[in-house]
Amino acid sequence: ASGLGRKGALRAAHLDASGLQSELGEAMAEALGCGGHVAEEHLMAIEEQILPMWRTLPKVAGDRVERRSLRYLVHRHFNRKSALHIRGFEPTRPANASGWGDADILSQRVPAYVESVLESRHKLERGFSQRDAAVMIATLEQLIFDSESALLEKVYKEQFKPIDRSLSTQGLGQVLESYMVHWMMSEDKDAIRLLLANRTLLETSFPHWEQLVGFVHGEMKSLDFRRQNTPHATSADASSRRGHNALAQRYSFDDAHGIIGGITKSFASYWESECASMKEALIDMDTRHTGRVPLSKFYSSGLDSDWRFGESETYLRELGALDETNVWIGKQVIIPNYIQAASNCIVSAPHYLVCCVNDCESLLGEIEEAVGSPVAEPSELLAVVGNLSSQATLSDDPPRDLKGSLTNQLEQI
C-alpha cells in the first residue's frame, strides 16, 4: 500500500476523452502501487456484473451517470456481493458538490485519484461511464485487499512470525484467530490486548468464539481441500506450489491473506443467523404486517428481549428508518432500513463495514434484470413483481396479490 501517497498536484480540469483515460490509468496505478495494473478481463467481469443495475440508472449524457448514481451503484455492488458497506459510499451519506468527503476510502488513500478523476470538471459536466464505475470498484477492491494485508502483517509481527517464513497448520491457526479478534474489535486496542492475553476471557466474553474458531479452521480446510482436489487450479492462482501443497501442509503469508480475503467476502453469510434473530424480533412487533414497528414499542421491547433497540430518533431519521407520515399511528421504525443500520453491522473496519445481508437485493436485482431501463410503466413493474422468483422468506408463495393502496400509489406517480 506504499504506492497510495499523493503524487503531484491537481491535474488540468479540462481533459479530452483520451487524456481522461490516461489520467484514470495513472491514478489507478497509484492506487495499486508501483507498476500496478488491473487485468482487462477483471474489468470486463465487473462491467458484466453491474450491467443490469447500470441499465436502470438515469443517464445525464449519452450512457453516462452523475456522481450520486455512481456512488449508489458502487454501494449496491459491494452490498450485493458481500454485504460490505464501503465507508463514504453509504446510502445515508449526502453526496454534495463540495467533494467526496474525508470519510471516503478513496479520499483517504488515493487523493490524486479523487482530485484528477472523480472531482475533475470534465467528469462533473459529462458524467461517468460504465468503465469508470468498473475501475472505481476494482480500485476499492485493491484498497480493501491492502488494508487486510496491513492488519495481517501487524498480527504476524505481534506473534514474532516473519512474513517470509511458511507456517504450520497450528501456526496459521494462531495467526488467523488473532486476526479475527483484531478485525472484529477494530480500534479497541485495550480490549484486543486483554482478550489475546487471556484465553478464558476470550472464550467466555467474545460472542460465539468457539463457532468463529470453527469457521476460521473451516476456511483453512477449504484451502487444503482445493489443493488436494483441484491441483491445477490452485497452481494457477499460486495457492499450491512447491513446499505448499496437499503433501506439505505449509502456508505462506499470501495463503493467509487469501483466507482472510475469503472471510471478508463470506462473513455476512456466516453471521446471518444473528441478523435473522434480530429480524424476527422486529417482525414479532409488527402486528399490522406493514414492515414497520411503532417507535414506542421499539424502545419498550428492549427491556424483555435479547436485543436492545436504543438508537435515538435523530439517528433513525438520518438513516431513513423512521416513518413519520402517519399521524394516527405515530412514528414507526422501518424494519428493512433499520436492519441495514451501521449500528447493526457485525464488523466495523477502518474502510468498510460488514453488515447484515440485504434481503431486498435479490428482489431488486430481478426487477432490474427484467426492466432493463431507468423508467417503466406501472403495469410492467407490477407484472414483474407479481412473478418474482426470489423469496425473502420460505413462506413466500407466488403469485402475489398486488392489489391495494400501494398499487394505487404506484399508478399515481
Side-chain angles (χ1 to χ4, degrees), residues 256-319:
H257 196 176
I259 291 173
I260 63 174
I263 289 173
T264 300
K265 295 174 183 176
S266 64
F267 195 72
S269 297
Y270 166 76
W271 202 258
E272 183 58 20
S273 61
E274 290 296 304
C275 295
S277 174
M278 175 175 60
K279 180 180 176 181
E280 288 173 6
L282 290 167
I283 289 176
D284 286 343
M285 291 184 271
D286 178 21
T287 55
R288 297 174 180 269
H289 307 292
T290 61
R292 288 160 170 74
V293 175
L295 188 61
S296 58
K297 186 179 292 186
F298 175 81
Y299 286 135
S300 63
S301 65
L303 300 175
D304 54 4
S305 147
D306 291 335
W307 294 94
R308 299 293 179 262
F309 303 118
E311 289 84 352
S312 68
E313 281 191 39
T314 300
Y315 177 80
L316 293 171
R317 187 176 296 112
E318 291 175 351
L319 179 69

Side-chain angles (χ1 to χ4, degrees), residues 67-298:
R67 183 169 56 184
R68 287 176 297 180
S69 295
L70 178 66
R71 187 189 298 279
Y72 168 80
L73 182 145
V74 171
H75 168 76
R76 286 271 314 280
H77 174 78
F78 282 98
N79 192 25
R80 178 177 295 180
K81 285 193 68 178
S82 308
L84 295 183
H85 290 196
I86 309 299
R87 292 193 185 274
F89 288 78
E90 304 94 327
T92 54
R93 180 189 181 280
N96 53 46
S98 62
W100 286 75
D102 294 335
D104 196 309
I105 182 174
L106 290 173
S107 301
Q108 290 181 346
R109 303 296 295 278
V110 201
Y113 180 93
V114 177
E115 291 175 345
S116 68
V117 180
L118 301 182
E119 293 187 347
S120 71
R121 184 171 178 180
H122 180 95
K123 281 297 185 187
L124 293 179
E125 290 177 351
R126 296 190 61 231
F128 299 86
S129 68
Q130 186 182 359
R131 173 52 60 103
D132 294 336
V135 169
M136 177 181 281
I137 289 170
T139 304
L140 289 167
E141 289 175 341
Q142 184 63 37
L143 293 174
I144 291 171
F145 184 84
D146 288 343
S147 69
E148 293 169 344
S149 179
L151 180 55
L152 185 60
E153 286 185 28
K154 180 179 180 180
V155 172
Y156 266 72
K157 185 177 181 179
E158 287 180 353
Q159 297 190 6
F160 304 101
K161 291 179 169 66
I163 63 174
D164 58 353
R165 184 179 300 172
S166 298
L167 301 177
S168 65
T169 300
Q170 181 182 9
L172 178 62
Q174 293 170 346
V175 166
L176 294 180
E177 288 180 22
S178 179
Y179 178 90
M180 292 299 290
V181 175
H182 278 275
W183 187 55
M184 297 188 71
M185 298 302 296
S186 189
E187 301 297 321
D188 195 341
K189 296 179 181 179
D190 290 338
I192 292 171
R193 178 177 51 80
L194 288 172
L195 290 170
L196 292 179
N198 188 331
R199 183 78 184 190
T200 302
L201 178 64
L202 177 61
E203 293 175 350
T204 55
S205 63
F206 204 93
H208 311 293
W209 176 248
E210 289 303 320
Q211 292 92 326
L212 283 171
V213 170
F215 171 64
V216 168
H217 285 267
E219 294 296 305
M220 293 169 55
K221 291 177 182 178
S222 176
L223 173 57
D224 292 336
F225 179 84
R226 286 188 287 110
R227 284 177 170 179
Q228 293 171 0
N229 293 275
T230 56
H232 294 295
T234 51
S235 294
D237 65 15
S239 58
S240 181
R241 58 203 174 282
R242 186 176 181 181
H244 303 76
N245 50 48
L247 298 178
Q249 291 189 326
R250 305 289 295 178
Y251 307 90
S252 67
F253 180 87
D254 287 341
D255 293 332
H257 196 176
I259 291 173
I260 63 174
I263 289 173
T264 300
K265 295 174 183 176
S266 64
F267 195 72
S269 297
Y270 166 76
W271 202 258
E272 183 58 20
S273 61
E274 290 296 304
C275 295
S277 174
M278 175 175 60
K279 180 180 176 181
E280 288 173 6
L282 290 167
I283 289 176
D284 286 343
M285 291 184 271
D286 178 21
T287 55
R288 297 174 180 269
H289 307 292
T290 61
R292 288 160 170 74
V293 175
L295 188 61
S296 58
K297 186 179 292 186
F298 175 81

Side-chain angles (χ1 to χ4, degrees), residues 30-41:
E30 290 182 21
L32 300 180
C34 183
H37 174 70
V38 176
E40 175 66 18
E41 294 80 4

